[in-house]
């Protein structure tokens, strides 16, 4: 009798588990991706500095594939030169409901002199006026030395349903601090809707 009750309990738990899992999204929905393997595509730099290809300094190779974006691929970035690496417009990010979130994730390598750094930015299109908003900082700034390729995650949920552009803003100033370094390298960019984390995120990485 005891074994029968145990089997019934195990069976019931299995059914509940299947119902819960069946109600969850099977995987993250990727709504935008870029690995730079085809070159510039629709990306552009507003003031030089940024290049796309295979680095021979800094990380020495890309995170994935043979091409990535970087602030000069074969040497240090120039002094006193700011530049943005800018995406094409990303039309109408998906809307989210309930506990869904929208995230920008990318791999980067960086090495900056003490007064220089990088910052991810976003601009939103205003349908009423037909203009783009000023660039706004999102996530923490980038500085010092990253030394290895690492994954960065920025929450874009506040921009769900909007038309946006993403930029990687590089700033170099020798007014207070002399010296330059190899800078910032970007690869394997995605914007996606992660799974509901409190159900499925066993390793706490947002997916």
């Amino acid at each position: 009798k005891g074994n029968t009750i145990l089997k019934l309990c195990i069976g019931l738990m299995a059914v509940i588990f299947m119902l819960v899992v069946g109600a969850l999204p099977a995987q993250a929905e990727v709504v935008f991706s870029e690995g730079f393997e085809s070159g510039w595509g629709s990306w552009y730099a507003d003031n030089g500095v940024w290049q796309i290809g295979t680095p021979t300094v800094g990380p020495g190779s890309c995170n994935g594939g043979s091409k990535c974006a970087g602030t000069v691929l074969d040497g240090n970035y120039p002094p006193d030169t700011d530049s943005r690496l800018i995406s094409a417009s990303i039309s109408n990010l998906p809307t989210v409901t309930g506990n869904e979130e929208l995230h920008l994730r990318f791999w980067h390598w960086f090495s900056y002199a003490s007064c220089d750094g990088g910052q991810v930015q976003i601009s939103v299109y205003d349908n009423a006026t037909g203009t783009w908003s000023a660039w706004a900082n999102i996530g923490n700034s980038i500085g010092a030395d990253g030394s290895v390729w690492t994954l960065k995650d920025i929450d874009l949920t506040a921009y769900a349903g909007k038309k946006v552009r993403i930029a990687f803003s590089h700033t170099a100033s020798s007014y207070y601090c002399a010296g330059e370094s190899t800078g910032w390298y970007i690869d394997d960019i995605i914007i996606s809707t992660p799974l509901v984390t409190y159900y499925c995120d066993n390793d706490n990485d947002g997916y």
Side-chain angles (χ1 to χ4, degrees):
K1 185 176 180 179
N3 288 337
T4 301
I5 294 174
L6 178 61
K7 289 178 181 179
L8 287 173
C9 289
I10 292 174
L12 180 60
M13 290 173 65
V15 170
I16 293 172
F17 176 79
M18 291 174 67
L19 289 172
V20 170
V21 171
L24 296 176
Q27 59 183 2
E29 177 191 359
V30 176
V31 298
F32 174 83
S33 64
E34 180 61 76
F36 300 109
E37 293 305 306
S38 299
W40 283 94
S42 298
W43 291 73
Y44 66 97
D46 67 357
N47 191 28
V49 182
W50 288 96
Q51 299 174 346
I52 291 177
T54 304
T56 57
V57 297
S61 62
C62 298
N63 178 69
S66 61
K67 293 182 181 179
C68 50
T71 51
V72 183
L73 298 173
D74 60 356
N76 291 349
Y77 54 80
D80 302 313
T81 305
D82 301 342
S83 178
R84 289 186 182 92
L85 174 67
I86 302 173
S87 75
S89 63
I90 304 169
S91 298
N92 299 327
L93 293 175
T95 57
V96 295
T97 59
N99 295 299
E100 291 179 335
E101 295 179 350
L102 188 65
H103 284 242
L104 166 67
R105 306 183 86 190
F106 60 92
W107 289 85
H108 65 160
W109 187 104
F110 52 93
S111 177
Y112 272 113
S114 58
C115 286
D116 306 333
Q119 176 68 59
V120 183
Q121 298 181 320
I122 194 168
S123 176
V124 179
Y125 187 75
D126 187 329
N127 289 310
T129 63
T131 59
W132 289 96
S133 69
W135 290 105
N137 294 343
I138 51 175
N140 297 326
S141 61
I142 307 301
D145 189 354
S147 71
V148 296
W149 284 98
T150 55
L151 180 64
K152 187 169 180 63
D153 185 309
I154 298 175
D155 190 342
L156 295 185
T157 306
Y159 300 94
K162 300 182 183 298
K163 181 178 179 179
V164 303
R165 295 181 298 170
I166 300 294
F168 298 89
S169 179
H170 159 83
T171 303
S173 173
S174 62
Y175 186 81
Y176 295 104
C177 308
E180 292 76 45
S181 188
T182 45
W184 200 10
Y185 298 78
I186 309 294
D187 203 1
D188 299 326
I189 305 165
I190 67 168
I191 297 176
S192 65
T193 53
L195 300 181
V196 181
T197 57
Y198 57 76
Y199 280 124
C200 303
D201 188 18
N202 295 325
D203 54 3
N204 198 33
D205 69 348
Y207 282 79

